[in-house]
Amino acid sequence: AASAHGLAATLDGDRLVIQPGADQGADAVSAAANAILVAAGIAASLQVGKTLIATPMLQAGLGLDLGSIGWLAGIFALLGLVGGIPAGAFITRFGDRRILLLGLGAVVVGSGLGALAPRYGVLMGSRIVEGLGFLMITVAGPAILNRISPPGRRDFAFALWSCFMPAGMAIAMLAGPFFSGWRSVWWSGAVIAGLLLRALPALLTDLGIDGYVTIGIFGVALFHALATAPTGIAGKVSSLLTRFTRGEER
C-alpha cells in the first residue's frame, strides 16, 4: 500500500523508480543520489577549469602559445553549441543513467589520454573526448534529478545542481598551486571521475563493465601522480609539511 510519509527508490531496468517507502530510507537514497550527481557535475567542471590553471605549465612543457591553449579550453563551448540537442536525443533513446555513466567514462578516458599526450594534436583529441563527457554529464544530470527528486525537494536539488560549475572552477583555482606539472593535473581529473564512476556500481553492471577496470584506471593514475615526487603531488604535500614543521620549531 502507498504511504504518504516517504518515498523509496528502486532500479527497474534503465530507470530509477521512486516508490512509497520509509522516510529515513527515502531521505538517504535521495541525499546520496543528489550528492553523486552534483559531484559528477563538479568533476565535469574541473575539466574546464584545469586548462586555465595549467596554462604556464603547458607553455613550459609543450611550448604552446596562448591561442593553442585557448582552443584547448574553448573546445568545450564549441561541443556544447553543436552537441546539446543531440545529447538530449541520446538521453531519450538510451536513458539518462547510461548517458551519465558514459559521460564519466569519457572524462576518465579523455583525461588519462591527455596526461599521456606527447604533442598538441593528441592533447586536443583528448580534450574533445573530455568535452563530450562534460556535455553528457551536464545534460543527463538535470534529467535524473527531475525524475528522482521528491516534489517537495526538487527546488533544493536543482539549486544544488546549479552550483556545480562555479564550485568546480573555484576548486580548480584553489588546487592549482599544488601542481607543478600539467600531466599531474590531467591525471587528477581522471582519478576524480574514476572514483565517481566506481560509486555507481549499478550503472557499471547495466553495461556489463567490470568495476575493477575502473579501479585499475584511477589506481594507475593515482600511482603516477604520487610517483612524480618531488615534482608532483606527493612532493608538494611533503614540502608543505616541512615548512609547517620548521615554522613550529622556530
Side-chain angles (χ1 to χ4, degrees):
S3 171
H5 298 291
L7 297 171
T10 58
L11 291 173
D12 180 17
D14 291 336
R15 293 186 171 277
L16 185 64
V17 181
I18 302 298
Q19 296 176 329
D23 286 338
Q24 293 183 349
D27 290 344
V29 170
S30 178
N34 289 343
I36 291 176
L37 288 172
V38 174
I42 292 175
S45 65
L46 286 173
Q47 315 310 316
V48 181
K50 71 183 182 184
T51 306
L52 302 177
I53 66 172
T55 295
M57 308 173 200
L58 288 168
Q59 289 177 313
L62 293 179
L64 302 182
D65 56 29
L66 291 178
S68 298
I69 296 174
W71 273 108
L72 290 177
I75 192 64
F76 277 52
L78 180 61
L79 289 171
L81 177 65
V82 301
I85 294 177
F90 275 114
I91 287 179
T92 303
R93 174 64 178 84
F94 298 105
D96 45 23
R97 294 192 307 124
R98 279 199 169 98
I99 296 300
L100 177 65
L101 171 65
L102 291 174
L104 285 170
V107 170
V108 173
V109 172
S111 195
L113 289 176
L116 299 172
R119 56 185 181 275
Y120 178 73
V122 178
L123 184 58
M124 175 58 76
S126 73
R127 289 294 287 172
I128 293 175
V129 176
E130 288 182 69
L132 292 173
F134 174 85
L135 179 62
M136 287 187 280
I137 292 170
T138 54
V139 173
I144 298 176
L145 276 180
N146 184 62
R147 184 161 48 79
I148 70 173
S149 299
R153 299 181 183 177
R154 191 165 294 158
D155 290 343
F156 179 71
F158 276 96
L160 285 179
W161 173 258
S162 68
C163 299
F164 82 86
M165 194 67 187
M169 296 293 288
I171 292 172
M173 296 298 178
L174 291 173
F178 292 96
F179 295 91
S180 60
W182 68 270
R183 295 185 190 276
S184 293
V185 178
W186 259 248
W187 275 127
S188 298
V191 169
I192 293 170
L195 287 169
L196 288 168
L197 195 60
R198 188 66 185 98
L200 300 171
L203 298 182
L204 293 172
T205 303
D206 283 347
L207 290 184
I209 301 174
D210 189 350
Y212 290 105
V213 173
T214 307
I215 294 177
I217 291 173
F218 69 75
V220 171
L222 181 60
F223 175 78
H224 180 276
L226 295 177
T228 54
T231 60
I233 298 174
K236 288 293 184 180
V237 173
S238 177
S239 177
L240 287 175
L241 291 176
T242 301
R243 292 178 186 177
F244 179 79
T245 303
R246 289 178 178 175
E248 285 191 338
E249 290 176 353
R250 294 176 183 177

mmCIF file of all heavy atoms in Angstrom, residues 211-242:
data_model
loop_
_atom_site.group_PDB
_atom_site.id
_atom_site.type_symbol
_atom_site.label_atom_id
_atom_site.label_comp_id
_atom_site.label_asym_id
_atom_site.label_seq_id
_atom_site.Cartn_x
_atom_site.Cartn_y
_atom_site.Cartn_z
ATOM 1 N N GLY A 211 33.673 -3.445 -12.522
ATOM 2 C CA GLY A 211 34.079 -2.319 -11.694
ATOM 3 C C GLY A 211 35.565 -2.281 -11.430
ATOM 4 O O GLY A 211 36.146 -1.216 -11.213
ATOM 5 N N TYR A 212 36.241 -3.437 -11.458
ATOM 6 C CA TYR A 212 37.674 -3.454 -11.201
ATOM 7 C C TYR A 212 38.460 -2.783 -12.329
ATOM 8 O O TYR A 212 39.594 -2.349 -12.130
ATOM 9 C CB TYR A 212 38.157 -4.889 -11.014
ATOM 10 C CG TYR A 212 37.674 -5.495 -9.722
ATOM 11 C CD1 TYR A 212 36.647 -6.433 -9.710
ATOM 12 C CD2 TYR A 212 38.233 -5.100 -8.508
ATOM 13 C CE1 TYR A 212 36.192 -6.974 -8.521
ATOM 14 C CE2 TYR A 212 37.791 -5.639 -7.319
ATOM 15 C CZ TYR A 212 36.773 -6.580 -7.328
ATOM 16 O OH TYR A 212 36.316 -7.105 -6.149
ATOM 17 N N VAL A 213 37.864 -2.695 -13.517
ATOM 18 C CA VAL A 213 38.522 -1.961 -14.600
ATOM 19 C C VAL A 213 38.663 -0.497 -14.214
ATOM 20 O O VAL A 213 39.708 0.137 -14.405
ATOM 21 C CB VAL A 213 37.716 -2.105 -15.903
ATOM 22 C CG1 VAL A 213 38.297 -1.205 -16.990
ATOM 23 C CG2 VAL A 213 37.699 -3.548 -16.357
ATOM 24 N N THR A 214 37.595 0.046 -13.641
ATOM 25 C CA THR A 214 37.643 1.435 -13.203
ATOM 26 C C THR A 214 38.645 1.627 -12.076
ATOM 27 O O THR A 214 39.382 2.613 -12.041
ATOM 28 C CB THR A 214 36.238 1.876 -12.734
ATOM 29 O OG1 THR A 214 35.300 1.578 -13.773
ATOM 30 C CG2 THR A 214 36.214 3.352 -12.427
ATOM 31 N N ILE A 215 38.668 0.683 -11.141
ATOM 32 C CA ILE A 215 39.644 0.762 -10.054
ATOM 33 C C ILE A 215 41.062 0.803 -10.630
ATOM 34 O O ILE A 215 41.914 1.583 -10.173
ATOM 35 C CB ILE A 215 39.492 -0.428 -9.097
ATOM 36 C CG1 ILE A 215 38.144 -0.355 -8.362
ATOM 37 C CG2 ILE A 215 40.636 -0.475 -8.087
ATOM 38 C CD1 ILE A 215 37.880 -1.522 -7.451
ATOM 39 N N GLY A 216 41.319 -0.008 -11.629
ATOM 40 C CA GLY A 216 42.640 -0.035 -12.238
ATOM 41 C C GLY A 216 43.001 1.289 -12.890
ATOM 42 O O GLY A 216 44.130 1.760 -12.778
ATOM 43 N N ILE A 217 42.015 1.924 -13.540
ATOM 44 C CA ILE A 217 42.276 3.185 -14.233
ATOM 45 C C ILE A 217 42.715 4.252 -13.251
ATOM 46 O O ILE A 217 43.761 4.884 -13.406
ATOM 47 C CB ILE A 217 41.031 3.645 -15.015
ATOM 48 C CG1 ILE A 217 40.765 2.703 -16.193
ATOM 49 C CG2 ILE A 217 41.215 5.082 -15.508
ATOM 50 C CD1 ILE A 217 39.470 2.990 -16.919
ATOM 51 N N PHE A 218 41.888 4.497 -12.210
ATOM 52 C CA PHE A 218 42.289 5.585 -11.328
ATOM 53 C C PHE A 218 43.376 5.160 -10.351
ATOM 54 O O PHE A 218 44.075 5.994 -9.780
ATOM 55 C CB PHE A 218 41.089 6.222 -10.604
ATOM 56 C CG PHE A 218 40.412 5.367 -9.566
ATOM 57 C CD1 PHE A 218 40.977 5.130 -8.331
ATOM 58 C CD2 PHE A 218 39.152 4.848 -9.820
ATOM 59 C CE1 PHE A 218 40.323 4.368 -7.381
ATOM 60 C CE2 PHE A 218 38.489 4.087 -8.860
ATOM 61 C CZ PHE A 218 39.082 3.853 -7.641
ATOM 62 N N GLY A 219 43.581 3.849 -10.168
ATOM 63 C CA GLY A 219 44.705 3.399 -9.354
ATOM 64 C C GLY A 219 46.033 3.713 -10.027
ATOM 65 O O GLY A 219 46.969 4.216 -9.380
ATOM 66 N N VAL A 220 46.114 3.435 -11.327
ATOM 67 C CA VAL A 220 47.331 3.763 -12.086
ATOM 68 C C VAL A 220 47.551 5.269 -12.113
ATOM 69 O O VAL A 220 48.675 5.762 -11.964
ATOM 70 C CB VAL A 220 47.229 3.209 -13.522
ATOM 71 C CG1 VAL A 220 48.367 3.734 -14.384
ATOM 72 C CG2 VAL A 220 47.237 1.684 -13.497
ATOM 73 N N ALA A 221 46.460 6.017 -12.281
ATOM 74 C CA ALA A 221 46.584 7.475 -12.307
ATOM 75 C C ALA A 221 47.095 8.017 -10.977
ATOM 76 O O ALA A 221 47.972 8.888 -10.939
ATOM 77 C CB ALA A 221 45.226 8.096 -12.639
ATOM 78 N N LEU A 222 46.552 7.492 -9.879
ATOM 79 C CA LEU A 222 46.986 7.952 -8.567
ATOM 80 C C LEU A 222 48.439 7.588 -8.312
ATOM 81 O O LEU A 222 49.223 8.390 -7.781
ATOM 82 C CB LEU A 222 46.089 7.332 -7.487
ATOM 83 C CG LEU A 222 46.394 7.742 -6.042
ATOM 84 C CD1 LEU A 222 46.246 9.251 -5.880
ATOM 85 C CD2 LEU A 222 45.462 7.020 -5.071
ATOM 86 N N PHE A 223 48.825 6.382 -8.712
ATOM 87 C CA PHE A 223 50.217 5.964 -8.538
ATOM 88 C C PHE A 223 51.162 6.885 -9.322
ATOM 89 O O PHE A 223 52.211 7.288 -8.831
ATOM 90 C CB PHE A 223 50.396 4.522 -9.006
ATOM 91 C CG PHE A 223 51.824 4.046 -8.978
ATOM 92 C CD1 PHE A 223 52.415 3.663 -7.780
ATOM 93 C CD2 PHE A 223 52.581 4.010 -10.137
ATOM 94 C CE1 PHE A 223 53.733 3.232 -7.747
ATOM 95 C CE2 PHE A 223 53.894 3.582 -10.113
ATOM 96 C CZ PHE A 223 54.471 3.195 -8.908
ATOM 97 N N HIS A 224 50.764 7.224 -10.552
ATOM 98 C CA HIS A 224 51.599 8.101 -11.367
ATOM 99 C C HIS A 224 51.750 9.470 -10.709
ATOM 100 O O HIS A 224 52.844 10.047 -10.688
ATOM 101 C CB HIS A 224 50.984 8.256 -12.759
ATOM 102 C CG HIS A 224 51.774 9.139 -13.679
ATOM 103 N ND1 HIS A 224 51.643 10.509 -13.675
ATOM 104 C CD2 HIS A 224 52.700 8.844 -14.624
ATOM 105 C CE1 HIS A 224 52.462 11.026 -14.579
ATOM 106 N NE2 HIS A 224 53.106 10.045 -15.172
ATOM 107 N N ALA A 225 50.632 9.998 -10.174
ATOM 108 C CA ALA A 225 50.690 11.316 -9.551
ATOM 109 C C ALA A 225 51.605 11.316 -8.336
ATOM 110 O O ALA A 225 52.379 12.249 -8.117
ATOM 111 C CB ALA A 225 49.280 11.760 -9.151
ATOM 112 N N LEU A 226 51.521 10.259 -7.535
ATOM 113 C CA LEU A 226 52.353 10.186 -6.338
ATOM 114 C C LEU A 226 53.807 9.869 -6.679
ATOM 115 O O LEU A 226 54.733 10.322 -6.001
ATOM 116 C CB LEU A 226 51.796 9.122 -5.387
ATOM 117 C CG LEU A 226 50.416 9.424 -4.797
ATOM 118 C CD1 LEU A 226 49.952 8.251 -3.942
ATOM 119 C CD2 LEU A 226 50.444 10.696 -3.969
ATOM 120 N N ALA A 227 54.008 9.099 -7.741
ATOM 121 C CA ALA A 227 55.361 8.688 -8.099
ATOM 122 C C ALA A 227 56.182 9.805 -8.707
ATOM 123 O O ALA A 227 57.392 9.670 -8.866
ATOM 124 C CB ALA A 227 55.305 7.518 -9.080
ATOM 125 N N THR A 228 55.544 10.928 -9.051
ATOM 126 C CA THR A 228 56.288 12.034 -9.642
ATOM 127 C C THR A 228 56.971 12.898 -8.592
ATOM 128 O O THR A 228 57.538 13.929 -8.912
ATOM 129 C CB THR A 228 55.355 12.922 -10.482
ATOM 130 O OG1 THR A 228 54.255 13.336 -9.667
ATOM 131 C CG2 THR A 228 54.847 12.183 -11.697
ATOM 132 N N ALA A 229 56.912 12.512 -7.326
ATOM 133 C CA ALA A 229 57.623 13.250 -6.277
ATOM 134 C C ALA A 229 59.115 13.276 -6.612
ATOM 135 O O ALA A 229 59.655 12.298 -7.143
ATOM 136 C CB ALA A 229 57.399 12.575 -4.929
ATOM 137 N N PRO A 230 59.846 14.373 -6.340
ATOM 138 C CA PRO A 230 59.414 15.541 -5.573
ATOM 139 C C PRO A 230 58.747 16.632 -6.399
ATOM 140 O O PRO A 230 58.504 17.720 -5.879
ATOM 141 C CB PRO A 230 60.717 16.051 -4.977
ATOM 142 C CG PRO A 230 61.725 15.719 -6.007
ATOM 143 C CD PRO A 230 61.293 14.408 -6.617
ATOM 144 N N THR A 231 58.467 16.383 -7.690
ATOM 145 C CA THR A 231 57.871 17.437 -8.517
ATOM 146 C C THR A 231 56.357 17.338 -8.589
ATOM 147 O O THR A 231 55.704 18.228 -9.122
ATOM 148 C CB THR A 231 58.443 17.362 -9.943
ATOM 149 O OG1 THR A 231 58.132 16.082 -10.505
ATOM 150 C CG2 THR A 231 59.939 17.559 -9.939
ATOM 151 N N GLY A 232 55.780 16.261 -8.086
ATOM 152 C CA GLY A 232 54.344 16.067 -8.207
ATOM 153 C C GLY A 232 53.590 16.353 -6.927
ATOM 154 O O GLY A 232 54.034 17.096 -6.053
ATOM 155 N N ILE A 233 52.411 15.718 -6.806
ATOM 156 C CA ILE A 233 51.534 15.995 -5.675
ATOM 157 C C ILE A 233 52.205 15.619 -4.360
ATOM 158 O O ILE A 233 52.170 16.381 -3.387
ATOM 159 C CB ILE A 233 50.207 15.222 -5.837
ATOM 160 C CG1 ILE A 233 49.485 15.699 -7.110
ATOM 161 C CG2 ILE A 233 49.315 15.414 -4.627
ATOM 162 C CD1 ILE A 233 48.260 14.898 -7.431
ATOM 163 N N ALA A 234 52.800 14.438 -4.330
ATOM 164 C CA ALA A 234 53.433 13.996 -3.090
ATOM 165 C C ALA A 234 54.536 14.952 -2.660
ATOM 166 O O ALA A 234 54.705 15.246 -1.473
ATOM 167 C CB ALA A 234 54.005 12.588 -3.279
ATOM 168 N N GLY A 235 55.295 15.457 -3.643
ATOM 169 C CA GLY A 235 56.353 16.402 -3.314
ATOM 170 C C GLY A 235 55.818 17.704 -2.745
ATOM 171 O O GLY A 235 56.394 18.276 -1.828
ATOM 172 N N LYS A 236 54.696 18.166 -3.293
ATOM 173 C CA LYS A 236 54.087 19.394 -2.793
ATOM 174 C C LYS A 236 53.606 19.222 -1.354
ATOM 175 O O LYS A 236 53.796 20.086 -0.501
ATOM 176 C CB LYS A 236 52.902 19.785 -3.687
ATOM 177 C CG LYS A 236 53.320 20.304 -5.050
ATOM 178 C CD LYS A 236 54.039 21.623 -4.936
ATOM 179 C CE LYS A 236 54.373 22.180 -6.296
ATOM 180 N NZ LYS A 236 55.088 23.467 -6.221
ATOM 181 N N VAL A 237 52.960 18.087 -1.079
ATOM 182 C CA VAL A 237 52.481 17.826 0.272
ATOM 183 C C VAL A 237 53.655 17.740 1.240
ATOM 184 O O VAL A 237 53.628 18.303 2.347
ATOM 185 C CB VAL A 237 51.652 16.524 0.316
ATOM 186 C CG1 VAL A 237 51.284 16.161 1.746
ATOM 187 C CG2 VAL A 237 50.394 16.671 -0.528
ATOM 188 N N SER A 238 54.710 17.039 0.838
ATOM 189 C CA SER A 238 55.893 16.918 1.680
ATOM 190 C C SER A 238 56.516 18.278 1.958
ATOM 191 O O SER A 238 56.932 18.581 3.078
ATOM 192 C CB SER A 238 56.911 15.995 1.009
ATOM 193 O OG SER A 238 58.092 15.920 1.767
ATOM 194 N N SER A 239 56.557 19.135 0.921
ATOM 195 C CA SER A 239 57.133 20.464 1.099
ATOM 196 C C SER A 239 56.328 21.304 2.075
ATOM 197 O O SER A 239 56.887 21.999 2.941
ATOM 198 C CB SER A 239 57.205 21.173 -0.259
ATOM 199 O OG SER A 239 57.692 22.474 -0.127
ATOM 200 N N LEU A 240 54.997 21.217 1.969
ATOM 201 C CA LEU A 240 54.148 21.973 2.887
ATOM 202 C C LEU A 240 54.328 21.498 4.330
ATOM 203 O O LEU A 240 54.390 22.302 5.266
ATOM 204 C CB LEU A 240 52.680 21.841 2.465
ATOM 205 C CG LEU A 240 52.261 22.606 1.206
ATOM 206 C CD1 LEU A 240 50.815 22.266 0.847
ATOM 207 C CD2 LEU A 240 52.400 24.106 1.430
ATOM 208 N N LEU A 241 54.395 20.171 4.508
ATOM 209 C CA LEU A 241 54.592 19.631 5.854
ATOM 210 C C LEU A 241 55.938 20.068 6.422
ATOM 211 O O LEU A 241 56.060 20.379 7.617
ATOM 212 C CB LEU A 241 54.494 18.105 5.824
ATOM 213 C CG LEU A 241 53.111 17.520 5.543
ATOM 214 C CD1 LEU A 241 53.187 15.997 5.437
ATOM 215 C CD2 LEU A 241 52.138 17.920 6.639
ATOM 216 N N THR A 242 56.972 20.100 5.576
ATOM 217 C CA THR A 242 58.294 20.515 6.033
ATOM 218 C C THR A 242 58.277 21.971 6.476
ATOM 219 O O THR A 242 58.828 22.334 7.530
ATOM 220 C CB THR A 242 59.327 20.323 4.906
ATOM 221 O OG1 THR A 242 59.352 18.948 4.535
ATOM 222 C CG2 THR A 242 60.713 20.752 5.372
#
